[in-house]
Amino acid sequence: KGLLGKEHERTPRITSHFSQKERVTMKEALKGAIQIPTVSFSSKELNTTALTEFGRYIRKVFPTVFQTSFIQHEVVGEYSHLFMVRGSDPSLQPYMLLAHIDVVPAPDEGWDVPPFSGLERDGFIYGRGTLDNKNSLMAIMQALELLLIRNYIPRRPFFIALGHDEEVSGVNGAQKISALLQARGIQLAFIVDEGSFILDGFIPNLKKPFAMISVSEKGAMNLMLQVNMTPGHSSAPPKETSIGILSAAVSRLEQTPMPNMFGDGPMKMALQQLANEFPFPANIILSNLWLFRPLVSRWMERNDITNALVRTTTALTMFNAGVKVNVIPPVAQAIVNLRIDPAQTVQEVLKLAKDIVADDRVQFQVLDAFDPLPVSPSDYQALGYQLLRQTIHSVFPEINIVVPGICIGNTDSRHYTNLTTGIYRFNPIYLQPQGFRSIHGINEKISVQAYETQVKFIFELIQNADADRMPAPHLHEL
Ligand SMILES: CCCCCCCC/C=C\CCCCCCCC(=O)N[C@@H](CCCCN)C(=O)O
Ligand SMILES: [Zn+2]
Ligand SMILES: [Zn+2]
């Protein structure tokens, strides 16, 4: 019986063994993808030449995907790509795999090798996009290519959506794909996107790596603060200038953290599930959050990453003022980038920010904002979560902890809430704090072995989604 109760013939399972030639081909394909500088500089400035070249590139390196009769390909929003893999059992609800083509800028400074060289050194492929997110894109396409070459016919239909402007909003890529699928009446069983990893070394005292599948993602708000003053001669300055007033305002925002929201959400569930992995007394503390919640909330504040998991963060990212050395500045402007905790809303955070600044001379303008994403299910009935968990256990047998969490950044998946309630953000890659800092930073790199494993993961995931039954709970979790 199929998952929806229908009899269906299946193609036999194919082991994820890749020949030496295939392994070389797949890593060279990733290097080629890194060499195409698909940079999004701003929502108005994308490298469209590179995006067009990327479209040609995927046609060249994944010919079977483009030639297969049961796969329909279309270009959306000029540079994004949507693939529909029909699947032999149309009664099964489709799912969707997401990745994005664009990358953030990468000036050469500070890199050990040029960021768009795709050079291999000491077993690592270097370059912008090796973790965010051409690794996922190429692994999804590569896994499908390899399955098709082996004559695998997927049973459950699925989509692959490759957005071209994720790094600057996703409005012309993911948002258009989402609208297109909605207009076609498509509802998805689940979505898998970037946004979390197998985390290694992020929590002091926790030696064991664990997989975190993000089941929600923070909201965001870009807030412009502005102070206007009458300009004049700097030789007889007023007591306060627009620069002084605005500096004090943004400093208050920076010095006054938003409330710690650690409580009932996915992070509480994650820590409870991790409790037994900690040495005494942390194991006891984390197993008794009804008593130690205040202590644990404060403990989470102690480093920047875990802090970001328990509260709305406030980052002062831009400041502009002044026209000439001897002119009292008529206007000062600052931009504050806030990442909103899943337990709060844009309106609540805006009010808190105004209360913290508490100065009527400072004007507030919301440039753009969206609420946090709903929490996707992670129970035993949640197909997407369970398929990921099952695939993690089989591809990474050494990982016996899989926990739900939240994504502190934003992803294209937020444009798809109209199509499914099951949105899971997970990149099957080991990530250490140094690797985390390389994302949007310098020396972003992936080991050849990690990339091969990522291809294997998707190869297995697609086949797991075609299985007869829901994945069984892992022994460790019973
Ligand atoms: C208790 C567990 C400790 C967990 C530690 C968590 C470590 C965090 C790991 C991974 C997070 C990586 C997030 C990657 C996704 C970010 C994608 C991104 O950069 N998106 C941009 C979108 C910009 C859109 C324009 N508004 C962004 O968020 O800025
Ligand atoms: Zn990304
Ligand atoms: Zn990014």
Side-chain angles (χ1 to χ4, degrees), residues 132 166-169 194-197 199 202-203 210 212 267 271 300 305-306 309 339 407-410 431 436 440:
D132 178 19
E166 188 275 347
E167 294 291 2
V168 286
S169 69
E194 64 170 340
S196 191
F197 293 89
L199 300 168
F202 283 86
I203 307 184
F210 63 96
M212 193 167 95
M267 286 324 299
L271 287 179
M300 291 289 282
I305 297 172
T306 49
L309 293 165
R339 302 298 180 122
C407 180
I408 55 176
N410 294 120
L431 188 77
F436 175 72
H440 292 201

Side-chain angles (χ1 to χ4, degrees), residues 7 9 11 27 48 53 72 84 94 108-109 121 127 142 179 198 222 230 241 284 294 304 341-342 350 380 419 421 453:
E7 294 292 344
E9 269 197 28
T11 49
K27 80 170 176 180
T48 53
E53 188 186 343
Q72 180 195 323
M84 186 184 76
D108 281 355
E109 289 74 45
R121 257 200 200 172
Q142 187 69 69
I198 297 174
N222 285 314
T230 312
T241 61
I284 303 296
D304 292 343
D341 187 274
L350 181 59
Y380 286 123
L419 303 182
T421 52
T453 308

Side-chain angles (χ1 to χ4, degrees), residues 33-34 36-42 45-47 50-51 54 100-106 115-116 127-135 163-168 440 444:
I34 300 300
I36 305 172
T38 49
V39 177
S40 288
F41 295 96
S42 72
E45 206 189 341
L46 313 179
N47 185 343
L51 289 169
F54 200 87
H100 62 90
I101 305 169
D102 62 327
V103 296
V104 292
F116 295 102
R128 178 59 85 230
T130 48
L131 292 174
D132 178 19
N133 175 245
K134 285 179 176 165
N135 58 321
H164 73 272
D165 59 350
E166 188 275 347
E167 294 291 2
V168 286
H440 292 201
E444 188 179 346

Side-chain angles (χ1 to χ4, degrees), residues 62 90 147 156 264 311:
F62 305 120
L147 279 167
R156 182 182 287 272
D264 299 318
R311 61 159 41 89

Side-chain angles (χ1 to χ4, degrees), residues 99 109 137 234 251 298 322 370 389 404:
E109 289 74 45
L137 186 156
S234 63
S251 174
R298 283 200 302 281
F370 53 90
R389 190 189 52 70

Side-chain angles (χ1 to χ4, degrees), residues 280-318:
F280 179 82
N283 56 346
I284 303 296
I285 292 172
L286 292 171
S287 304
N288 291 284
L289 287 178
W290 60 274
L291 180 60
F292 295 113
R293 189 158 130 178
L295 182 73
V296 175
S297 352
R298 283 200 302 281
W299 175 71
M300 291 289 282
E301 293 176 340
R302 280 171 40 181
N303 84 55
D304 292 343
I305 297 172
T306 49
N307 180 52
L309 293 165
V310 296
R311 61 159 41 89
T312 296
T313 52
T314 309
L316 313 180
T317 51
M318 295 176 87

